[in-house]
Amino acid sequence: MATYKQLLAEKEKLETQLAEVRQSEVAGVVEKIQDLMAEYELTVHGPEDRRHLDRAWSCTGVAGEESRQVSDSGGVSRSTGIRLPS
């Protein structure tokens, strides 16, 4: 029968192996997700937000860039007067 110290050492080795395998598998899953998203032209916003993103592209001129300004006036943009989400 193994001693307590031997079992603790084995536990440490197993935990290290678990962390390494998990990191490897997660990297593979992330890569697979990214490939599928590129193949189906999906974004993190989802397919239902595609029209919104197309409109945002044409309004800002830069994909993903928003024209919001930081405001200290209760969430209202100084340049547009539009209430910004908090």
Side-chain angles (χ1 to χ4, degrees):
M1 180 175 209
T3 67
Y4 179 73
K5 285 185 179 185
Q6 290 171 330
L7 290 173
L8 282 178
E10 188 176 333
K11 178 184 172 190
E12 288 281 327
K13 271 175 61 174
L14 288 172
E15 286 175 347
T16 300
Q17 286 178 324
L18 279 169
E20 290 170 357
V21 170
R22 183 180 189 287
Q23 183 178 8
S24 173
E25 288 182 7
V26 166
V29 169
V30 168
E31 184 177 349
K32 184 176 181 177
I33 290 169
Q34 289 172 336
D35 290 344
L36 289 170
M37 288 178 71
E39 181 180 341
Y40 290 96
E41 298 178 359
L42 298 174
T43 67
V44 294
H45 300 289
E48 65 279 353
D49 288 342
R50 185 75 186 159
R51 285 184 298 177
H52 168 73
L53 292 174
D54 289 343
R55 256 185 274 129
W57 173 268
S58 64
C59 292
T60 62
V62 178
E65 180 181 316
E66 296 181 15
S67 59
R68 295 182 184 161
Q69 292 184 1
V70 176
S71 171
D72 56 358
S73 58
V76 176
S77 170
R78 282 174 254 164
S79 64
T80 63
I82 297 173
R83 179 164 294 284
L84 303 175
S86 47

